[in-house]
Every structure is written in C-alpha cells, then in structure tokens.
Amino acid sequence: MAIRDDFEVVASQVRTVVQRFALGLLVIVTFGVMLVGKADTVLVEHARVLALDMVSPVLETIARPVAYANRAIADLREFASLREENARLREENARLLAWQTAARRLENENEGLRSLARFREGPEASFITARLVGDSVSAYMRGALLNVGRRVGVAPGQAVVTGEGLAGRIAEVGENSSRVLFVTDVNSRLPVLVERTRERAILAGDNSPRLRLALLQSIAGVQTGDRIVTSGHGGSFPVGIPVGEVVETSEGTVRVRPFTDFSRLEFVRVVDYGVTGLVGPAAPGPAAPPAGVRVR
Amino acid sequence: MRADGTLAILDRWGRAALPGTVLLFFVLLTLAPLRAPYLSDTLPLLPVLVVFQFSLVTPERLPGPLLLVMGILLDLLLGGPGAPVGISALGFILVRAAVIANRRYLVGVPFLFQWIGFCILCWGYVALVWAFTTLWTWAAIDPVPAMLQYVVMIVIYPLLAPLLARVRARDPLNVPELSRGSARPGETTT
C-alpha cells in the first residue's frame, strides 16, 4: 500500500513537473526540429515530399470545385466587358494572322537553309501536362503543387511552361506530386537573354509580381518593351522560352513583367528535355550556336 | 452496450476530435488554389486564427503536442526549399500559451476585446515568423506582404471567429476544471 501511495505521489509530482514545463519542452522541441531541418536538409526534403504525396489526393479532390468556382467568378467578371473584349480579340486576331503568315514563310525558309547547311537539330522536347492542384503561395514563397511526379518522368530542375511563357522550375518531386518554384519566388535565379540585343543576364525574383534583371553588363542597352527569353545556360532549360518583357528601366534597376498570369494558372506543361542534347556535336562554321532548339 | 451509450461515445469522440480536424482542414486549405485577390495570400495565417479561437474556448481539446504536429505539417507543405521547418509550430504553441495565460480576461469580455487580443497575438506571430525566416535564410525579405496578410487576417477575424466559437460548452463556467481557466465558480464576468 505504502509503495503504491509513494508511486502515486511520485507520478503526480512528475505530472505537475511535465505540466509546468510543457511549454518549455514544446518550445525546445520546435527549436530542435528547426535545427535538424537546418542541419539535415535531405531528411527535410524527404519529409516534404512525403507530406506532399500524402495530401495531393486530397488537394486534387478539392482543386476541381475550387477551379470551377474560380472560373465562374472569372466568367462573371468577363461578362461585363464582353463587347470591348470581343473587339480587342478581333483586332488581335487580324494581327496574329499576319504573324502566322510571316512565321510560315520563315519556317519554310529556315528548313531550306538548314538542309543546305546540314544543320543537326537538337532533340525535341517532350511535355508532361499537369494540373495545378495546390498553391504554395505565402508571404515567403511563390510556387504551386502539380499532380504529376517521378512516376511520369518529372525531375527537379525541369522547366514549367504555360502557353504564354515560362512559369518556373520543378523544385521538389514526389511519387505523384511535385512542387514548382515560380520565377517570381525570392529563390529563383534564371539565366536569360535580352532577345533584341542577345545580352546575357540573370533574372531574379523577389516575391513581388515584377522580376528584377540583374548582372547585366550594360544596363543602357535595355529598353522598355524588350522581350526576355531563357538563355539555356547552365541547366536543363531549353533556349528561347519567353519569360517576360521589360516594363521599367530606372536608376540601374530593370524590372520585368512575366508573361505568365500566375493568378490564373490551371494547367501547365513540364518540359522534359534531355540535358545532354544541348551539348551535341557542333555544326561546322559560324552556324554553331545551339539556337536551333525547337520548343513548341 | 446500450445504443445511446455508443452514441454518447461517438459524441464524445466527435467533440474531442473537432478542433483538431478543423485545424487540419485549415492547414490543408492553405494549399487550395483559391484565386480570390488578397484572400489566397492570407490563407497561411488562417490556422493561427483557429489556434487562437480554440485555445480560447476549449484549450484541452487542442493540446500542445497536436499543435506541434500541425505546425510542422504546415511548414512542410507550405515552405519551399530552405524555409525553416517548425517555425509555425513554435508560433502556434506560443499563441496557445499566451491565450491560456490570459483566458481569465479573454473569455468573459465583449467580442471587441477578444478581437484586440487576436490583433496583438497575430501581430506577434507574424513578426516572429518574419524575423525567423529572415534570420534563417539570411536574406532581406520584404515585410510588406506579411503585413498585408496580417491586415486581411484582422479583417477576416470577426467573420470566422463567432463560427468557430460555437464549439464551446454552453456555460463557460460550467465546464471541466482545465478549460475553465482561472475563473472561480460563482465568479461573474459580465
């Protein structure tokens, strides 16, 4: 009996101690988790991927109704400006038809010249179409979750494009899910070219809707309206994917507006491009630059 | 076992699991691709509202270890590469501790004062997460989006909080010892 009483006394004492220091213990545990996350990044990546894989089926089921609601809201909004939109589209269509003619002519010409120069084209890129099942947007991060993963060939570093241009790159890949880091994210650094001057630069995100053009050799040559395309340097990115256009050049900073409308993304394409294809056997003569990569 | 016994058990289980389930729902909701302007950026702060409100009305049903797990899950799902994992958990736990320490003043007061309390705690949370993320990644992170998030959150609070507060026991003083806070029987607060 006495032993039992003693035991109960000790147990209750332990309980009070645990209750008193519960807050401290929990705080210590969180710091421990943070330190482990800092020290062992591989472990954290595994945990992230595991968590993503677990929740992506749930997200996929809620993504459809959410997408439907979003579309309904967008429809309502567009209904108000239907007339103006129609007129604008007609005008744009006329302009694009002229462009199409020009493009057809150039493609024919290009093909003829290529066969003349025996130019070997790089491997064709293949695409994986993915649905955006989750946003990963916060005050510190610009990204999204896709419903495709390793099983269909998605790998970290691959480019993610939309019809308008580059959206970002794959950052983490799970079995059936992956996370895209948008070009607007603060961690995003992208080697690009100014299309008009062929000048190389780095396009950096800072979590704002505008991108910053950095490490430019001469800022003077850049004008408002210049198109920025990927340069394909140092990575598995194809060359010449449009990224955005320069909207502001002032006091040594160049601001770029991305072509992709991140607030309306629903489907994207992951570009599966053989990295080794970029360094193929160079064609003789001055026609060597690897610009013949066809991206559709 | 009698039929109503099973029902009672289910009822008890449901009540016990409700706050955690709601919190999990809001943690998952942070990833929902909602396209509403301002609102979608604010989603990551919604779990804080849930933690605050449930810590206020039924802290025993939202224990610290559960908050730890939920916070880590939120960080794993939300953060990109390099973001600290566990910072949300720390924030949740501190919010819970702060609410419990001040329940005596917060439970009985008019809604406006609870709102003010939430404003203060949520500001602390946002500042904590911002400071930690900045230190952790050693990068100058623009505090404006975080502040914008905070403002939207403050505006949302009166819409969501009364709904969440409905899980509380009918009479704040006629409840088990733990959830009563430091209020004594017979003590009136209004």
Side-chain angles (χ1 to χ4, degrees), chain B residues 89-154:
Chain B
L90 180 65
F92 287 174
I93 286 162
L94 291 180
V95 166
R96 180 180 189 267
V99 171
I100 288 179
N102 296 296
R103 277 194 83 211
R104 185 171 173 175
Y105 308 104
L106 282 174
V107 164
V109 293
F111 181 74
L112 182 67
F113 290 93
Q114 291 183 354
W115 195 5
I116 292 173
F118 177 73
C119 290
I120 296 167
L121 279 182
C122 191
W123 194 88
Y125 176 90
V126 170
L128 177 88
V129 172
W130 182 82
F132 254 82
T133 313
T134 307
L135 285 178
W136 216 249
T137 55
W138 203 246
I141 296 173
D142 188 9
V144 174
M147 285 295 123
L148 203 68
Q149 247 188 354
Y150 170 69
V151 171
V152 178
M153 199 64 237
I154 294 303

Side-chain angles (χ1 to χ4, degrees), chain B residues 53-54 56-58 111 114 157 160-169:
Chain B
Q53 199 60 27
F54 283 147
L56 198 60
V57 292
T58 66
F111 181 74
Q114 291 183 354
Y157 179 78
L160 211 57
L163 207 70
L164 295 176
R166 293 185 74 91
V167 301
R168 68 158 170 251

Side-chain angles (χ1 to χ4, degrees), chain A residues 38 48 70 134-135 179 263 265, chain B residues 31 33 35 77 79-80 85 136:
Chain A
K38 190 78 179 166
R48 277 188 203 288
N70 285 333
D135 266 3
R179 192 198 296 274
S263 63
L265 285 186
Chain B
L31 295 174
R35 295 284 180 259
L77 291 179
V85 173
W136 216 249

Side-chain angles (χ1 to χ4, degrees), chain A residues 92-127:
Chain A
E92 191 172 307
N93 198 21
R95 201 154 42 82
L96 287 179
L97 276 175
W99 270 109
Q100 196 189 27
T101 319
R104 283 232 180 90
R105 191 173 54 78
L106 284 175
E107 197 181 355
N108 282 340
E109 192 179 311
N110 225 344
E111 228 154 70
L113 288 175
R114 270 184 194 158
S115 65
L116 273 180
R118 290 200 195 83
F119 180 82
R120 266 188 59 176
E121 210 170 320
E124 297 241 336
S126 68
F127 293 103

